[in-house]
Amino acid sequence: MSNYIRLCNNLDSLSLTKIKEYLPAYLDEKISSKMSTVDILLELTDKEVDFREKRAAEINMSISNFPYRKTIDDFDFSYQPSINKAIILDLKSLRFLETFDNILFIGSSGVGKTHLATAIGMEASSKRVSTYFIHFQTLMSKIKKAVSEGRVDTLIKNYGKYKLLIIDEIGYLPIEKEYATIFFQLIAARYEKHSTIITTNQPLSKWGDVFGDPVLANAIIDRLVHHSTIIKITGKSYRIKDKFIDFEQTDEEKGDE
């Protein structure tokens, strides 16, 4: 068996996929140019590292449970002038993760809260930060099941471990105090240890109604806002944006008749 075949077999055994893929071209380059052995090995290992990082980021992205893939670049800031774009771009830098800060997006339905939360989450996930996205009502269902099965501690440990947890759509439906108490335990477990992104259609002053107890709601809010960026979005829903355009075009068409 030739040394080249042995080398290829070793690369297979070590799962050095990209090095094996690029090896023939680099060997040809070595013969026809003045590339040093060190330069060849450096470029080959750079390609392998880059491949592995991209693959790991994609795997991380796939298990982060995002509802869709949206980026900051996809967001139409001109349609929501109440949002300070500079703040969003700073959040995109993920600097907030270093200080375990939270982010709260507050606004009515359709103004882009979930889009921005997802986009920041995707940025974190692409950098291999452990990230998980979950709808609030789905989390409540899992809490109810954990209570019935006696697995509350396991649930809190599971959702408490993520460096970034995104909880979407708090406030659409009220919840029972028993389950709100467990939600508080989760938020308390993450407090000053990991970052949480919240989206809600209810002002914080109304969370007492959502959680069935103003004292409990205040305790949840206290831990979320202590180290946080709060972004209040006021504007029209993106879901009716195209409908308004169509309506306006229809009016113009009528005026031309």
Side-chain angles (χ1 to χ4, degrees):
M1 183 183 297
S2 71
N3 285 345
Y4 180 76
I5 297 299
R6 289 178 60 195
L7 172 61
C8 290
N9 288 342
N10 286 346
L11 294 175
D12 282 334
S13 297
L14 295 170
S15 299
L16 296 173
T17 309
K18 285 300 170 184
I19 289 182
K20 182 181 179 184
E21 179 182 334
Y22 286 104
L23 180 63
Y26 274 85
L27 290 177
D28 291 340
E29 185 74 15
K30 169 66 176 174
I31 294 171
S32 61
S33 74
K34 296 181 180 179
M35 280 189 74
S36 69
T37 302
V38 170
D39 288 339
I40 290 175
L41 291 174
L42 176 61
E43 289 196 21
L44 284 172
T45 52
D46 279 346
K47 289 183 181 296
E48 184 70 35
V49 169
D50 183 61
F51 167 72
R52 292 192 175 201
E53 287 181 348
K54 288 179 178 178
R55 182 175 62 182
E58 186 58 34
I59 291 172
N60 200 41
M61 192 82 71
S62 67
I63 62 176
S64 294
N65 196 41
F66 295 117
Y68 44 65
R69 296 200 175 188
K70 294 283 189 180
T71 67
I72 299 296
D73 292 337
D74 297 325
F75 194 83
D76 185 359
F77 286 94
S78 65
Y79 192 73
Q80 299 295 15
S82 68
I83 300 175
N84 187 330
K85 185 176 180 179
I87 292 176
I88 301 300
L89 293 179
D90 181 61
L91 295 174
K92 181 184 175 183
S93 75
L94 306 179
R95 190 165 58 93
F96 71 96
L97 293 174
E98 300 300 320
T99 50
F100 314 124
D101 285 6
N102 302 316
I103 305 172
L104 281 74
F105 290 104
I106 304 173
S108 57
S109 178
V111 296
K113 304 184 302 296
T114 301
H115 180 149
L116 291 172
T118 299
I120 294 169
M122 283 184 57
E123 191 68 25
S125 186
S126 71
K127 299 298 188 294
R128 299 174 66 177
V129 174
S130 60
T131 304
Y132 196 76
F133 180 104
I134 189 168
H135 289 285
F136 182 65
Q137 289 304 318
T138 301
L139 178 59
M140 288 302 102
S141 296
K142 291 183 179 294
I143 285 176
K144 291 178 183 179
K145 185 176 181 182
V147 169
S148 66
E149 296 176 350
R151 297 185 300 102
V152 171
D153 289 344
T154 301
L155 178 139
I156 292 174
K157 183 178 180 180
N158 180 43
Y159 289 107
K161 69 184 180 184
Y162 293 103
K163 291 185 179 179
L164 179 60
L165 180 65
I166 304 170
I167 304 174
D168 190 41
E169 298 185 343
I170 289 180
Y172 282 88
L173 293 171
I175 62 172
E176 298 174 41
K177 183 177 177 180
E178 176 186 5
Y179 307 127
T181 300
I182 296 171
F183 180 73
F184 163 74
Q185 292 175 28
L186 171 60
I187 297 301
R190 296 182 57 79
Y191 177 61
E192 295 189 325
K193 295 178 182 176
H194 299 303
S195 295
T196 304
I197 298 179
I198 299 289
T199 77
T200 178
N201 69 329
Q202 294 290 341
L204 299 182
S205 60
K206 298 288 187 181
W207 277 27
D209 297 331
V210 175
F211 291 102
D213 183 340
V215 175
L216 182 59
N218 285 336
I220 294 170
I221 292 169
D222 180 64
R223 283 158 180 78
L224 285 174
V225 306
H226 183 209
H227 306 289
S228 69
T229 298
I230 300 176
I231 299 172
K232 297 180 180 179
I233 308 175
T234 58
K236 295 179 290 187
S237 170
Y238 279 98
R239 299 188 183 101
I240 60 175
K241 180 180 178 183
D242 293 336
K243 290 183 172 58
F244 273 123
I245 292 173
D246 291 340
F247 180 74
E248 289 168 2
Q249 289 174 342
T250 300
D251 282 346
E252 290 173 3
E253 290 169 0
K254 288 181 179 179
D256 291 338
E257 290 178 356

